[in-house]
Amino acid sequence: EEMATLAEDPLLMDPESVTRLDKLKKAVAQQFNTRCNMHEDWDGSDRRLKWYSPYGLSSFTFSVLAILELTLFADNFHIEPSIKIPIQFEAGCLFFQSMATLLADVIYLGKDSVWHQFDRCVATLNVILVLCNSFWLPWADRGVYLVILVSGITLLGTSRYCRINGDIGGVAFWHSVWHLWFPFGIGLWLASRQFPSAHLVILLTAVFIGGSILVTTSVVRFRARMQAASGSINVEMETKELA
């Protein structure tokens, strides 16, 4: 059974035998299947994964942004340079994202369900939708969007790295931050348009936070790799001593 799992998931195989094409095929396949990629024993019984934990509540961050778009930022897309996408449509998509995230990452955690497929597809489409805002924006705003996107992807990657290594605490933390960062980053960008006098300060704040995320996740993953390498060396030395 363990060997079958390794064969199904190239990310769990020997790194030297996994090509970039293998990883790409795996990533594409995961977007369109109904399997839960969490460990089977991570069924939500751990308090760090319950709906009322920071991990569970992070699913609602998209709804918070949607409510802000319908209230405080209702006329934001009419501010010059105007954005042609109706902000009400974007808010509706964010509400769907919260529902899909809650069902996939909390309610059906550790279980196969169509909601995993729905969550991945909706998340991909929502990222594309929000990025389309940048078509009508100046380069400074586009740069902020790029920082938010890249730093967000590193958060998701760090969460998946923890998942592969069986670190349930790491998954709960980094996946929660992944859920929080996109709505918070886009909220900062909306605020920069809403309050022109603080436009530059708010944009620089978003860039600083995004940059900090990039540095932090890089350090975390580097330290994890170093610890894994150190553990492998120790095991090898002990084996030689026993031999």
Side-chain angles (χ1 to χ4, degrees):
E1 183 177 344
E2 183 178 355
M3 291 300 293
T5 301
L6 290 172
E8 291 175 359
D9 194 341
L11 297 179
L12 299 179
M13 297 165 58
D14 180 2
E16 294 183 359
S17 65
V18 180
T19 65
R20 291 183 178 179
L21 182 60
D22 290 329
K23 292 182 179 181
L24 179 60
K25 288 180 179 179
K26 177 64 178 179
V28 173
Q30 284 181 343
Q31 290 296 106
F32 299 100
N33 66 42
T34 59
R35 293 180 57 191
C36 177
N37 295 319
M38 296 291 187
H39 289 249
E40 292 183 0
D41 56 333
W42 294 4
D43 57 0
S45 59
D46 191 292
R47 60 182 178 81
R48 291 169 292 184
L49 300 177
K50 291 186 177 295
W51 69 267
Y52 52 78
S53 67
Y55 170 82
L57 293 176
S58 69
S59 302
F60 298 101
T61 55
F62 304 101
S63 290
V64 172
L65 177 59
I67 292 171
L68 289 174
E69 288 188 341
L70 294 175
T71 54
L72 180 61
F73 301 129
D75 297 323
N76 194 279
F77 283 12
H78 297 300
I79 299 172
E80 292 296 331
S82 62
I83 297 170
K84 309 307 178 184
I85 301 172
I87 197 169
Q88 295 82 1
F89 175 71
E90 192 168 289
C93 291
L94 290 170
F95 276 122
F96 273 111
Q97 183 65 66
S98 269
M99 179 187 70
T101 299
L102 178 66
L103 288 166
D105 290 352
V106 181
I107 306 301
Y108 287 98
L109 183 67
K111 306 171 186 175
D112 291 347
S113 170
V114 70
W115 286 110
H116 299 300
Q117 184 183 52
F118 185 75
D119 177 48
R120 298 181 196 115
C121 292
V122 169
T124 302
L125 293 175
N126 275 335
V127 169
I128 295 173
L129 172 64
V130 173
L131 285 177
C132 285
N133 294 340
S134 64
F135 291 159
W136 296 278
L137 298 177
W139 284 105
D141 294 59
R142 291 177 183 179
V144 172
Y145 262 68
L146 181 62
V147 170
I148 294 172
L149 174 64
V150 174
S151 55
I153 290 174
T154 62
L155 287 170
L156 179 61
T158 303
S159 169
R160 289 180 174 176
Y161 185 81
C162 292
R163 182 199 77 209
I164 292 170
N165 288 280
D167 180 5
I168 189 171
V171 170
F173 176 77
W174 290 110
H175 215 72
S176 299
V177 181
W178 149 252
H179 287 162
L180 175 64
W181 172 232
F182 268 158
F184 184 70
I186 298 301
L188 283 175
W189 168 75
L190 287 168
S192 73
R193 285 169 55 86
Q194 197 77 18
F195 309 105
S197 61
H199 179 78
L200 183 59
V201 173
I202 296 175
L203 287 186
L204 289 176
T205 300
V207 171
F208 174 77
I209 296 174
S212 299
I213 288 172
L214 288 171
V215 172
T216 303
T217 52
S218 298
V219 171
V220 167
R221 297 175 74 168
F222 175 76
R223 291 181 63 183
R225 289 192 181 97
M226 291 298 293
Q227 290 176 354
S230 177
S232 299
I233 293 173
N234 291 336
V235 170
E236 186 177 344
M237 291 179 64
E238 291 176 1
T239 302
K240 289 182 177 179
E241 290 177 359
L242 291 175

